[in-house]
Amino acid sequence: MRPLEWSEGELKLIDQRLLPGKVLWVSCRRSQEVAARISDMTVRGAPAIGLAAAYGLVLASQEADDAALKGESRRRFLQAARKELAATRPTAVNLFWALERCGAAIEAGAETGALLELAKRLHEEDVAGNRRMGEDGAKLITPGCGVLTHCNAGALATGGWGTGLSPIFVAHERGVKFHVFVDETRPRLQGARLTAFELAQAGVPHTLICDNMAASLMRAGKIQVALTGADRIAANGDVANKIGTYSVAVNVKHHGLRLAVLAPKSTFDLSIASGAQIPIEERSQDEVTQWGEERICPAETKAFNPGFDVTPAELISAIFTDRGPISPVNPAEVARVMKG
Ligand code: MRU
């Protein structure tokens, strides 16, 4: 499954807000529409956001062609599109990575055709890299083991196939028998709506749990390994991921289990020394104070809704990347693997 596709001059996206009830593809013809679709989370997940932005710049270039913009006016138009795409979501660094790569190509004079080739290449590299990290990570999934997931780091969050879910798909393909416990992932329920959907489609045995149930399952010996994706990884190996990942990590450590993070090179931000410098998106209070349209707390109650948290490197057993595994997770190992 791929959550985004380029077809006949348009970017098509699965509207992830409607899953699992409805599989609806929406089309974007302008870069502004792509920015709106990233902001409203029609498309979400760090690598998928980055790829959508890359295709967004292709659309901007097409718009410039249609308006016969040349030279400086074309450059200014594309720069404005880039700025708008960059302003959508602050935490996942893949967005800025993709805009940087495509922006550099534009500065070097790339026309629409070359930009489209670049976006498609980034897309294919993402899918291939996901498969590679999953093959390395699948060694953690042994017969009879229990795996915990948080948020959605599957095909829907990427160009296709997935990061955090990749070892699960590989191990399942190899015929290993194991069970997945899916954190529902409050407040937007990416676990319940998206991860459970992907596992059901693939025929992977799984059980949905509320986020606050994971520790008791660990204590009961039902979980041996937790697998997550990442939105931004600092040079020291600190990982920003969906809010609640830090709690998973603390619980994993307390019970002597393993937490593995899976992410491509495009998720690493080596310009920052530690997770303390990662900007954390703060989202609408309504996501916490309401259940759908219904308010679940008094009208005067305020909510706090950070979309992400930072897990310190020392709580992570390994980071599996498209360049190979990082373990132990420390600045020297991060630098060594990312050089490759
Ligand atoms: O807010 P979202 O749904 O975009 O957050 C997504 C996550 O936190 C994922 O776990 C992360 O992007 C890694 S996915 C490959």
Side-chain angles (χ1 to χ4, degrees), residues 41 44-47 49 89 92 150-154 157-158 163-164 190 228-231 241-242 262 281 283 307-308:
M41 292 179 69
R44 37 63 56 198
I49 292 171
R89 297 195 69 194
H150 193 72
C151 194
N152 171 263
T158 63
T163 55
Q190 288 94 329
T228 74
D231 287 82
N241 192 50
K242 181 52 56 196
L262 294 102
E281 175 180 10
R283 300 186 51 81
F308 302 89

Side-chain angles (χ1 to χ4, degrees), residues 273-289:
S274 83
Q277 290 155 270
I278 297 176
I280 301 293
E281 175 180 10
E282 202 172 321
R283 300 186 51 81
S284 163
Q285 295 186 30
D286 295 351
E287 291 182 350
V288 179
T289 58

Side-chain angles (χ1 to χ4, degrees), residues 131-333:
R131 175 84 208 194
R132 173 171 181 199
M133 62 182 93
E135 283 175 1
D136 288 339
K139 290 166 199 139
L140 294 176
I141 303 181
T142 49
C145 97
V147 180
L148 179 72
T149 65
H150 193 72
C151 194
N152 171 263
L156 290 165
T158 63
W161 189 256
T163 55
L165 294 191
S166 182
I168 290 172
F169 294 137
V170 172
H172 181 66
E173 218 175 62
R174 289 178 183 163
V176 180
K177 301 277 176 249
F178 60 98
H179 197 85
V180 182
F181 292 94
V182 179
D183 267 356
E184 63 172 353
T185 318
R186 277 277 288 155
R188 287 189 66 98
L189 306 178
Q190 288 94 329
R193 295 189 304 101
L194 307 177
T195 298
F197 173 71
E198 288 195 40
L199 295 179
Q201 291 232 317
V204 178
H206 63 281
T207 302
L208 180 65
I209 59 170
C210 300
D211 302 336
N212 50 6
M213 297 170 185
S216 72
L217 283 172
M218 290 178 193
R219 192 173 175 84
K222 303 265 190 214
I223 292 168
Q224 282 67 47
V225 59
L227 300 176
T228 74
D231 287 82
R232 194 184 292 229
I233 303 177
N236 69 345
D238 289 352
V239 167
N241 192 50
K242 181 52 56 196
I243 189 74
T245 304
Y246 176 50
S247 310
V248 168
V250 170
N251 285 323
V252 160
K253 179 80 169 179
H254 180 75
H255 293 93
L257 310 174
R258 278 190 286 191
L259 166 65
V261 172
L262 294 102
K265 188 173 181 176
S266 53
T267 303
F268 285 75
D269 182 354
L270 301 182
S271 74
I272 55 172
S274 83
Q277 290 155 270
I278 297 176
I280 301 293
E281 175 180 10
E282 202 172 321
R283 300 186 51 81
S284 163
Q285 295 186 30
D286 295 351
E287 291 182 350
V288 179
T289 58
Q290 291 179 196
W291 187 255
E293 296 302 304
E294 187 195 344
R295 192 161 177 101
I296 55 170
C297 59
E300 57 270 48
T301 300
K302 300 270 177 273
F304 175 48
N305 188 17
F308 302 89
D309 58 24
V310 174
T311 297
E314 75 247 26
L315 298 182
I316 302 166
S317 321
I319 303 178
F320 293 95
T321 81
D322 50 351
R323 311 292 158 121
I326 299 172
S327 181
V329 183
N330 60 39
E333 274 299 287

